[in-house]
């Protein structure tokens, strides 16, 4: 027999207890209080927010603003549960553009701490203060705006208090909470004091738009963040015509960190943790960042409020998009677009930043208007120009690879005395010009190309760089379903496993799409009859073997969709110039020029850098010059 519990009558909970329960969701630690109070200050139109803390925020959190203030008659109301000035009906909830709207933060905080308000509106002769616990209203002194003081957090709920960490940890969380606000509001000044000492201060920007955000990011996250971050924007014209735009900054792959502690995403100015955005950003880095490295970014998403539900989480840190695919696409495009531009070519392609008018439904207090010239289009332009100039695929005659099969590089990577031209690196002498990666001067140990530019010495890992160039070219061709193929004058035959023979037969259409023709000569022999033009200088047998190997692992019909990039990377590796291959100066220059216009060429296919600049200052330092 089981013991039945004693039944108690169903009763409504007292207000205080309801608020304490709500506080369980909203108020986890001092930083949660800081976030809610700064939210309120921003909603009140503050231009300066000052946070004063004692004991990591446990003993005191005071948030002071210069916003619109609260009239004395409404001070008590502000502390009530579900009391808000921000929405009044369902339509307003669905179009909400303020940070707060649930009307529960102050009530929840007041149920677990000692709260007092001091506020003054523009028209009032002086300020009024209210003690939450006693309900005592008294005249006070301050300028327009509001100060909310929260003392002895969790004084009545020792169980919660026990979960708090050291003062310095709680302080760090409080600073982080303000930092998240600060990155979205460059027009607002912030200051944080702890135990009477100023611990952080970010001044209000005097200008608008993306430049203000750039300055704030530099201020809050450090110059390093912004020095290594690329501006991004989707759609390319920065317009809100589609009711959605993404802008901000994405760190170059080199700036990636071991922790995901510099990934900021905002939806209509609200800091969010969102799987869709996070996944899209990660996907954009897929091709340039490998392993566990965490990219850094600050992404701002402006979206028609009707297309996002912000009322899905008590602290509003999560949102739900009506069409998450659309957001995923926009974020991925925006970040990918920024990363695709090779930095080597950027010296020659200045980004123009011209602020644009703020769109109709953007909340007036927020600065989101901006715009700059899309670089994607420019680069596309330059790629085609230069491939003609420098003998990219377009400029190569159909017979240039004829000797393939005779005079190839040997498998161990040593080069013959009279080197074959490297595909894509056939080059005219370098015309005069200010080339970002400079003029080639030498090759070092068969691995590095050395070049001289205005800043000093450029060092290029030639295999890594060429691999990326070949890979990107293959990708472009495959995307256009136009991989150029080149027949071998004498087919390259090799003895194959039964599995390889079977794959060659069943996957013939896929191979053809990849520019490969591999046919059985006998049950144990395959013949490579054509290879992609881009890879014509490589070893056709090694290429065929590795492609067949990859195809055998995947469903052949799906390999082009699912494993396309892996496959192309494998192929590119075969087509890229090997170590120890001696390059002529013209070939080295051609490699540099190709890098300048190839998307993602700052990293090889494995995410490692392809080039480094050694500036004159660094060289001078090596030789202790000028000291
Ligand atoms: P919510 O922000 O969801 O409306 P809160 O409990 O945080 O709920 O605040 C209740 C109300 O108190 C707000 O709607 C606003 O009218 C007023 N209020 C709170 N903080 C401030 C402030 N710093 N300046 C002006 N009004 C404020
Ligand atoms: Mg609020």
């Amino acid at each position: 027999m089981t013991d039945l519990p004693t039944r108690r009558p169903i009763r409504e909970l007292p207000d205080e207890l309801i608020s304490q329960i709500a506080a369980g969701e909203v108020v986890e630690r001092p930083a949660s209080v800081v976030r809610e109070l700064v939210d309120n200050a921003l909603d009140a139109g503050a231009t300066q927010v000052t946070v004063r803390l004692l004991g990591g925020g446990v003993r005191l959190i005071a948030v002071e603003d210069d916003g619109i203030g609260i009239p004395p008659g409404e001070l008590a109301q502000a502390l009530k549960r579900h009391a808000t000035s921000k929405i009044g009906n369902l339509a307003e909830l669905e179009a909400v553009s303020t940070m707060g709207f649930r009307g529960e933060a102050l009530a929840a905080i007041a149920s677990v701490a000692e709260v007092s308000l001091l506020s003054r509106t523009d028209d009032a002769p002086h300020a009024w203060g209210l003690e939450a616990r006693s309900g005592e209203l008294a005249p006070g002194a301050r300028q327009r705006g509001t100060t909310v003081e929260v003392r002895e957090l969790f004084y009545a709920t020792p169980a919660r208090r026990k979960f708090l960490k050291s003062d310095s940890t709680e302080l760090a969380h409080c600073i982080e909470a303000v930092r998240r606000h600060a990155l979205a509001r460059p027009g607002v000044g912030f200051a944080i004091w702890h135990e009477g000492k100023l611990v952080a201060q970010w001044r209000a920007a005097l200008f608008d738009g993306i430049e203000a955000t750039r300055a704030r990011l530099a201020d809050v996250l450090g110059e390093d963040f912004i020095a290594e971050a690329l501006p991004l924007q989707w759609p390319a014209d920065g317009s809100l015509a589609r009711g959605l735009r993404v802008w901000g900054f994405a760190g170059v792959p080199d700036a990636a960190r071991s922790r995901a502690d510099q990934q900021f995403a905002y939806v209509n100015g609200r800091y969010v943790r969102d799987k869709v955005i996070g996944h899209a950003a990660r996907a954009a880095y897929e091709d340039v960042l490998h392993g566990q490295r965490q990219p850094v970014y600050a992404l701002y998403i402006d979206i028609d409020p009707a297309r996002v539900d912000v009322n899905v989480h008590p602290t509003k840190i999560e949102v739900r998009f009506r069409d998450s695919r659309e957001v995923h696409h926009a974020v991925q495009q925006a970040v990918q677009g920024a990363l695709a531009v090779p930095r080597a070519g950027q010296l020659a392609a200045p980004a123009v930043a011209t602020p644009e008018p703020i769109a109709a439904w953007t909340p007036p207090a927020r600065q989101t208007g901006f715009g700059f010239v899309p670089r994607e289009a420019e680069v596309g332009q330059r790629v085609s120009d230069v491939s003609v100039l420098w003998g990219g695929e377009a400029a190569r005659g159909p017979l240039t690879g004829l000797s393939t099969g005779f005079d190839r590089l040997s498998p161990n990577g040593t080069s013959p005395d009279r080197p074959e031209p490297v595909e894509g690196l056939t080059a005219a002498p370098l015309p005069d010009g200010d080339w970002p990666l400079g003029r080639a001067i030498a090759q070092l140990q068969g691995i590095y190309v050395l070049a001289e530019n205005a800043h000093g010495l450029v060092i290029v890992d030639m295999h890594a760089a060429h691999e990326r160039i070949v890979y990107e070219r293959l990708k472009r061709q495959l995307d256009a379903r136009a991989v150029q193929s080149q027949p071998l004058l004498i087919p390259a035959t090799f003895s194959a496993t039964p599995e390889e023979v079977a794959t060659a037969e069943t996957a013939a259409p896929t191979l053809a799409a990849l520019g490969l023709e591999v046919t059985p000569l006998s049950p144990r022999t395959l013949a490579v009859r054509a290879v992609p033009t881009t890879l014509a200088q490589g070893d056709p047998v090694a290429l065929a073997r590795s492609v067949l190997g990859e195809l055998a692992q995947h469903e052949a019909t799906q390999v082009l969709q699912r494993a396309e990039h892996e496959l192309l990377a494998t192929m590119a590796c075969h087509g890229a110039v090997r170590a120890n291959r001696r390059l002529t100066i013209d070939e080295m220059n051609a490699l540099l020029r190709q890098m300048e216009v190839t998307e993602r060429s700052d990293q090889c296919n494995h995410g490692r850098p392809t080039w480094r600049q050694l500036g004159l200052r660094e060289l001078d330092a090596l030789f202790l010059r000028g000291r």
Side-chain angles (χ1 to χ4, degrees):
M1 229 191 93
T2 52
D3 283 343
L4 285 174
T6 343
R7 205 186 158 280
R8 297 198 340 191
I10 302 171
R11 277 184 302 227
E12 279 188 48
L13 295 172
D15 263 7
E16 172 88 1
L17 187 52
I18 297 177
S19 288
Q20 282 166 342
I21 291 170
E25 292 178 319
V26 179
V27 187
E28 186 197 343
R29 60 189 340 157
S32 337
V33 174
V34 170
R35 188 195 52 224
E36 292 292 341
L37 299 185
V38 176
D39 266 358
N40 282 345
L42 294 174
D43 283 346
T47 62
Q48 177 63 41
V49 178
T50 304
V51 180
R52 293 176 208 278
L53 306 165
L54 292 178
V58 181
R59 279 176 44 227
L60 171 75
I61 299 165
V63 175
E64 201 179 295
D65 69 52
D66 59 354
I68 51 178
I70 309 171
E74 289 181 32
L75 282 172
Q77 199 69 359
L79 292 165
K80 285 226 180 89
R81 228 163 19 89
H82 306 311
T84 180
S85 58
K86 295 167 194 174
I87 56 168
N89 56 45
L90 182 62
E92 285 179 359
L93 170 62
E94 287 179 345
V96 69
S97 64
T98 47
M99 296 291 112
F101 54 85
R102 299 165 68 106
E104 60 186 6
L106 289 183
I109 295 164
S111 75
V112 293
E114 296 285 357
V115 171
S116 68
L117 305 176
L118 179 67
S119 193
R120 178 174 172 183
T121 53
D122 230 357
D123 49 3
H126 58 81
W128 285 90
L130 176 71
E131 289 290 332
R133 198 136 304 266
S134 66
E136 192 182 303
L137 190 66
R142 65 155 291 153
Q143 295 300 305
R144 191 200 64 204
T146 305
T147 303
V148 181
E149 286 189 2
V150 178
R151 290 178 194 276
E152 302 303 329
L153 186 62
F154 301 141
Y155 69 94
T157 45
R160 302 289 303 276
R161 197 157 185 159
K162 264 199 299 209
F163 281 101
L164 295 177
K165 301 279 192 306
S166 68
D167 284 4
S168 58
T169 302
E170 295 304 333
L171 171 64
H173 284 283
C174 291
I175 295 173
E176 176 65 17
V178 182
R179 205 155 88 125
R180 289 173 182 173
H181 280 106
L183 292 182
R185 298 299 185 98
V188 179
F190 294 88
I192 309 173
W193 297 76
H194 185 243
E195 304 283 351
K197 288 201 201 83
L198 185 65
V199 290
Q201 182 172 36
W202 305 303
R203 291 179 203 287
L206 298 173
F207 36 86
D208 269 5
I210 194 163
E211 286 314 312
T213 297
R214 185 199 294 272
R216 179 52 64 84
L217 283 164
D219 209 7
V220 177
L221 299 177
E223 291 289 342
D224 286 358
F225 179 95
I226 211 67
E228 301 198 287
L230 308 162
L232 56 94
Q233 172 164 277
W234 185 97
D237 62 0
S239 89
L240 263 171
R242 292 184 234 192
L244 171 65
R245 77 173 160 203
V246 181
W247 58 282
F249 293 87
V252 298
D254 257 9
R257 301 161 68 87
S258 56
R259 292 196 306 138
D261 58 348
Q262 292 203 348
Q263 300 180 348
F264 300 90
Y266 295 86
V267 174
N268 291 344
R270 174 180 272 116
Y271 175 85
V272 296
R273 285 230 174 272
D274 183 74
K275 285 209 181 79
V276 174
I277 299 171
H279 184 271
R282 182 76 225 183
Y285 277 91
E286 185 189 77
D287 227 13
V288 289
L289 194 65
H290 290 248
Q292 303 303 309
R293 306 285 293 162
Q294 293 289 346
V296 305
Y297 51 74
L299 302 175
Y300 302 88
I301 294 161
D302 298 329
I303 186 169
D304 179 349
R307 282 152 73 170
V308 57
D309 188 355
V310 292
N311 185 28
V312 295
H313 191 274
T315 67
K316 299 164 242 116
I317 197 168
E318 285 171 21
V319 293
R320 193 181 295 131
F321 297 110
R322 204 164 72 188
D323 184 350
S324 55
R325 270 180 321 179
E326 158 191 271
V327 174
H328 192 281
H329 174 79
V331 170
Q332 189 174 350
Q333 291 292 102
V335 179
Q336 238 165 24
L339 294 175
V341 182
R343 268 170 299 149
Q346 261 181 17
L347 300 173
V352 185
T354 26
E356 252 180 33
I358 295 166
W361 51 256
T362 308
R366 204 164 295 147
Q367 301 156 344
T368 43
F370 68 94
F372 49 84
V373 173
R375 290 218 220 98
E376 223 170 330
E378 280 177 31
V379 168
Q381 191 67 43
R382 286 185 287 131
V383 167
S384 53
D385 288 346
V386 174
S387 58
V388 172
L389 237 180
W390 292 100
E393 64 251 42
R396 284 187 64 87
L399 297 178
T400 32
L402 263 189
S403 58
T404 309
F406 300 103
D407 201 3
R408 272 192 300 285
L409 307 185
S410 66
N412 64 14
T414 53
S415 64
D417 289 332
R418 188 181 50 77
E420 275 302 302
V422 176
E423 168 61 34
L425 299 189
T426 48
L430 184 67
D432 281 340
D434 204 359
W435 302 101
L437 290 179
R439 293 160 180 277
I441 46 181
Q443 190 179 8
L444 186 68
Q445 300 286 337
I447 297 171
Y448 298 108
V449 168
L450 307 184
E452 176 186 358
N453 69 0
H455 306 287
L457 181 66
V458 172
I459 307 171
V460 174
D461 179 334
M462 75 181 194
H463 173 74
H466 193 231
E467 198 176 40
R468 170 63 78 178
I469 291 166
V470 171
Y471 174 57
E472 292 293 330
R473 187 179 302 150
L474 282 173
K475 260 201 313 198
R476 278 205 309 278
Q477 292 181 353
L478 193 62
D479 282 349
R481 292 287 172 258
V483 179
Q484 290 175 33
S485 182
Q486 181 173 302
L488 301 183
L489 202 56
I490 299 177
T493 60
F494 64 101
S495 60
T497 65
E499 192 188 23
E500 285 171 334
V501 176
T503 308
E505 283 182 319
T506 54
T510 306
L511 289 168
L514 293 168
L516 270 165
E517 190 186 339
V518 185
T519 54
L521 282 184
S522 78
R524 299 303 297 268
T525 320
L526 284 173
V528 187
R529 297 180 183 278
V531 294
T533 308
T534 302
L535 307 178
Q537 302 311 128
D539 178 346
V541 171
L543 174 68
R545 280 214 166 108
S546 59
V547 171
L548 288 172
E550 298 241 357
L551 288 180
Q553 275 173 35
H554 301 95
E555 192 67 45
T557 49
Q558 287 178 357
V559 77
L560 287 191
Q561 285 112 54
R562 293 233 195 111
E564 174 187 311
H565 286 188
E566 279 163 53
L567 185 64
L568 293 185
T570 306
M571 292 172 71
C573 188
H574 285 284
V577 58
R578 298 275 130 191
N580 296 326
R581 164 74 160 72
R582 201 165 305 141
L583 297 183
T584 66
I585 290 283
D586 285 345
E587 284 175 329
M588 292 183 226
N589 278 321
L591 177 70
L592 300 174
R593 302 296 79 81
Q594 296 264 335
M595 287 174 68
E596 284 159 0
V597 295
T598 297
E599 298 194 334
R600 289 169 283 274
S601 65
D602 302 316
Q603 287 77 36
C604 77
N605 302 342
H606 314 287
R608 288 188 297 269
T610 55
W611 66 278
R612 294 285 191 196
Q613 173 88 54
L614 207 52
L616 279 176
R617 268 166 183 241
E618 287 153 288
L619 291 170
D620 287 349
L622 278 179
F623 295 96
L624 312 177
R625 276 178 72 105
R627 287 171 195 221

